[in-house]
Amino acid sequence: MNDDQSEEILQARLAELRQDHADLDAAVQAISLSPLPDMLLIGRLKRKKLALKDEITRIEDQLTPDIIA
C-alpha cells in the first residue's frame, strides 16, 4: 500500500468518525430535550463522543506533516 492509498483510507476513516461524532451529538441533544432525560445514557454517549474526538485528532495528526520551525 502506498502513501496515497493509506492517506485516502485515513481520510475516509476521518469522514466516518466525524459523521459518527455528529450523530452522537444530535442524539445527546435529542435526549437532553426529553422531559426526563436519561443522564446515564447521556454520559455514555458523551464519553463515546470524546473517544471519537481523540481518534479524530490522532488521525488528523497523522495526515498533517510535521513542520519543524
Side-chain angles (χ1 to χ4, degrees):
M1 184 181 316
N2 64 33
D3 286 343
D4 288 342
Q5 287 174 320
S6 59
E7 184 171 328
E8 286 177 22
I9 290 168
L10 286 175
Q11 289 286 3
R13 179 72 177 135
L14 194 55
E16 182 182 326
L17 290 170
R18 286 180 173 148
Q19 184 60 56
D20 289 349
H21 188 270
D23 291 347
L24 283 173
D25 194 44
V28 167
Q29 289 180 9
I31 294 166
S32 297
L33 295 175
S34 69
L36 291 170
D38 183 342
M39 297 311 288
L40 284 174
L41 178 57
I42 290 173
R44 261 198 317 265
L45 293 176
K46 285 184 174 183
R47 282 189 294 281
K48 281 185 181 180
K49 271 181 57 181
L50 191 57
L52 286 174
K53 186 66 176 166
D54 289 345
E55 190 171 350
I56 288 168
T57 301
R58 185 183 56 75
I59 292 174
E60 286 173 342
D61 288 348
Q62 283 182 326
L63 289 171
T64 306
D66 291 334
I67 299 171
I68 300 172

